[in-house]
Amino acid sequence: MNKKELNEIKKNFSDDCGYFTINSIFSAYIDPEKNVKYKENKPHSIIPDDEREVITDTLKKVLTGTVGKHLVEYEFPKEAYEDEGAQKILYDVVSSKMKDESSLDAFLQKIITKIDYAASFSLLTAHCTYSIMKKNKNDDDDTDNISEEYNFIVTAICPANTNDIGLFYDEETQTISKKSNTEMIISKVPTDGFLYPVFSDRSPDVNHVMYFSKKADKPNISIIENVLDCIFVMSAENEKAKFQQILNSVVNDELNYNVITQVNDKIREVVDLSKNETEAAKINDKQLKHILSDAGVSAEKLEALEPAYKTIVGEAELTASNLADNRTVVVTPDVTINIKKDAACRLRTSSIEGRNCLIIDLDDPNIKVNGLEAVLK
């Protein structure tokens, strides 16, 4: 499921779209001991408008974020279609259009018995139908030509906790006092979620699921591996860490300021060139070798790149957007310098009278220190 396909579903995920329908909503509340305190399945149409709007907004957040970072597509292993496997359970929920109570119970039990979630949480699942229109020669929707229906479920996992409301003014007693709250407040922003089946080549793909994590660097691996029965792949944070491990291992004593910033610029170029593409740009060992060479790394060092890449990453490709930084940050024990995108070339390293120095080139001599105009001397 690429960016274009995701955006098509996200754009039409609305009550105002004539080709999209939320059919029913299954909701449940689970306490920290994994007890189901509440569950209900009801048609979306009978839910009050204000409540329906909140639910729709929450579910739509599962479709937000960057593909490859917050949203990662996983393929089910063959055993996932066994009786108690995640794919079989999800398929039954979708194919029954969430009308079969036993399949919903199996779905809920799979989540609450397998998920690692320390706090109370709410589960929101919607069964949706999107009428897929064929495209005309201009790649626009042909509103008179519907090819098939895409039936899917989207699930949001939202934390719940009490909120200390603080002071309040009581009109009746005309006093200000502390107000406490014992009701559990369900967050409108899910920490995790998933979409099944995925929308691939503008058709449902029942062999894949899309997992969402609010924090791209902290996915809930228990959902991926134990709830969805998939094999966890590197997160954006892990990709960046492995990339840095390769640079430290291969470039080593040639890893200076210029090499680091030039490598970052080269990778940003790869990202920028692919920004209009549907698939996220990837970098393998051969491409990385060219990038390092262009940044000035010696041929002797580059001989070690391919074996180091295989040892650290394996056969996988790295997502370019996960490796590039949008700003350069230079950190010393006493000073931290944040440099905006495309301004890394303004800083240089040098040795002056035996002292290591950072030199910043200024086109404009006007600077501010603690908000005050300062004079350069």
Side-chain angles (χ1 to χ4, degrees), residues 232-292:
F232 173 66
V233 298
M234 284 188 290
S235 65
E237 183 182 53
N238 287 339
E239 284 198 306
K240 182 68 172 289
K242 288 184 180 295
F243 168 67
Q244 292 180 341
Q245 187 180 348
I246 292 170
L247 294 186
N248 284 321
S249 173
V250 174
V251 185
N252 204 343
D253 55 0
E254 293 183 12
L255 200 59
N256 57 35
Y257 177 83
N258 288 334
V259 168
I260 293 170
T261 54
Q262 286 186 48
V263 168
N264 193 62
D265 287 345
K266 298 289 183 186
I267 295 176
R268 276 215 311 255
E269 287 177 12
V270 173
V271 176
D272 291 341
L273 287 171
S274 66
K275 64 183 179 182
N276 295 322
E277 301 294 327
T278 56
E279 302 290 343
K282 299 286 186 177
I283 290 178
N284 57 29
D285 55 345
K286 292 179 175 55
Q287 291 166 301
L288 184 55
K289 188 174 184 177
H290 285 301
I291 289 172
L292 295 180

Side-chain angles (χ1 to χ4, degrees), residues 157-322:
I157 297 170
C158 304
N161 51 57
T162 56
N163 184 29
D164 185 359
I165 294 176
L167 299 176
F168 77 106
Y169 175 71
D170 189 325
E171 181 70 36
E172 185 176 335
T173 62
Q174 296 186 338
T175 59
I176 294 177
S177 61
K178 176 79 169 60
K179 183 177 181 180
S180 60
N181 180 37
T182 58
E183 294 181 341
M184 299 301 289
I185 298 175
I186 297 170
S187 173
K188 293 186 290 185
V189 181
T191 56
D192 305 88
F194 50 86
L195 169 79
Y196 175 82
V198 300
F199 186 59
S200 182
D201 293 327
R202 306 197 74 243
S203 292
D205 177 0
V206 298
N207 294 315
H208 291 80
V209 62
M210 180 74 82
Y211 165 73
F212 161 81
S213 176
K214 177 186 174 184
K215 296 182 178 180
D217 58 342
K218 294 181 180 178
N220 190 325
I221 300 176
S222 73
I223 297 176
I224 299 165
E225 294 188 337
N226 302 329
V227 174
L228 299 176
D229 293 340
C230 296
I231 299 172
F232 173 66
V233 298
M234 284 188 290
S235 65
E237 183 182 53
N238 287 339
E239 284 198 306
K240 182 68 172 289
K242 288 184 180 295
F243 168 67
Q244 292 180 341
Q245 187 180 348
I246 292 170
L247 294 186
N248 284 321
S249 173
V250 174
V251 185
N252 204 343
D253 55 0
E254 293 183 12
L255 200 59
N256 57 35
Y257 177 83
N258 288 334
V259 168
I260 293 170
T261 54
Q262 286 186 48
V263 168
N264 193 62
D265 287 345
K266 298 289 183 186
I267 295 176
R268 276 215 311 255
E269 287 177 12
V270 173
V271 176
D272 291 341
L273 287 171
S274 66
K275 64 183 179 182
N276 295 322
E277 301 294 327
T278 56
E279 302 290 343
K282 299 286 186 177
I283 290 178
N284 57 29
D285 55 345
K286 292 179 175 55
Q287 291 166 301
L288 184 55
K289 188 174 184 177
H290 285 301
I291 289 172
L292 295 180
S293 177
D294 290 344
V297 177
S298 67
E300 180 183 359
K301 295 287 188 184
L302 293 176
E303 290 179 5
L305 176 62
E306 291 184 28
Y309 188 102
K310 291 290 190 295
T311 300
I312 296 169
V313 178
E315 299 298 327
E317 294 182 316
L318 298 173
T319 306
S321 60
N322 292 342

Side-chain angles (χ1 to χ4, degrees), residues 3-248:
K3 290 186 290 185
K4 184 176 181 180
E5 292 161 341
L6 178 67
N7 287 336
E8 180 176 347
I9 299 303
K10 186 164 58 175
K11 179 184 71 174
N12 293 298
F13 199 99
S14 168
D15 290 334
D16 298 328
C17 176
Y19 302 96
F20 173 82
T21 306
I22 299 179
N23 303 305
S24 56
I25 298 291
F26 175 69
S27 56
Y29 176 78
I30 297 94
D31 70 14
E33 287 73 42
K34 305 295 177 62
N35 298 307
V36 179
K37 309 297 286 187
Y38 161 88
K39 66 175 181 177
E40 185 176 22
N41 184 32
K42 56 186 176 183
H44 185 249
S45 58
I46 69 170
I47 299 174
D49 289 348
D50 54 350
E51 183 181 339
R52 193 165 62 216
E53 183 179 348
V54 172
I55 291 172
T56 301
D57 288 346
T58 298
L59 291 169
K60 195 171 181 178
K61 285 182 172 65
V62 175
L63 307 178
T64 60
T66 304
V67 175
K69 287 187 175 181
H70 304 89
L71 292 152
V72 181
E73 184 175 320
Y74 285 91
E75 182 177 8
F76 289 110
K78 291 181 180 179
E79 56 270 21
Y81 200 73
E82 296 175 354
D83 286 344
E84 296 182 2
Q87 184 181 9
K88 177 67 164 59
I89 291 172
L90 295 176
Y91 183 84
D92 288 345
V93 171
V94 174
S95 59
S96 69
K97 298 186 177 181
M98 290 205 330
K99 294 179 180 179
D100 180 61
E101 187 176 342
S102 62
S103 65
L104 275 176
D105 284 342
F107 170 73
L108 179 59
Q109 285 302 311
K110 177 74 169 177
I111 293 173
I112 64 177
T113 58
K114 298 295 184 179
I115 194 172
D116 183 5
Y117 211 92
S120 300
F121 67 92
S122 172
L123 186 74
L124 289 175
T125 298
H127 179 273
C128 310
T129 301
Y130 173 56
S131 298
I132 307 170
M133 288 171 284
K134 288 187 176 180
K135 298 287 185 179
N136 59 28
K137 60 182 180 180
N138 297 320
D139 199 35
D140 295 324
D141 290 336
D142 184 350
T143 56
D144 295 324
N145 196 347
I146 295 175
S147 59
E148 64 177 313
E149 286 188 341
Y150 168 45
N151 285 286
F152 65 95
I153 58 169
V154 57
T155 293
I157 297 170
C158 304
N161 51 57
T162 56
N163 184 29
D164 185 359
I165 294 176
L167 299 176
F168 77 106
Y169 175 71
D170 189 325
E171 181 70 36
E172 185 176 335
T173 62
Q174 296 186 338
T175 59
I176 294 177
S177 61
K178 176 79 169 60
K179 183 177 181 180
S180 60
N181 180 37
T182 58
E183 294 181 341
M184 299 301 289
I185 298 175
I186 297 170
S187 173
K188 293 186 290 185
V189 181
T191 56
D192 305 88
F194 50 86
L195 169 79
Y196 175 82
V198 300
F199 186 59
S200 182
D201 293 327
R202 306 197 74 243
S203 292
D205 177 0
V206 298
N207 294 315
H208 291 80
V209 62
M210 180 74 82
Y211 165 73
F212 161 81
S213 176
K214 177 186 174 184
K215 296 182 178 180
D217 58 342
K218 294 181 180 178
N220 190 325
I221 300 176
S222 73
I223 297 176
I224 299 165
E225 294 188 337
N226 302 329
V227 174
L228 299 176
D229 293 340
C230 296
I231 299 172
F232 173 66
V233 298
M234 284 188 290
S235 65
E237 183 182 53
N238 287 339
E239 284 198 306
K240 182 68 172 289
K242 288 184 180 295
F243 168 67
Q244 292 180 341
Q245 187 180 348
I246 292 170
L247 294 186
N248 284 321

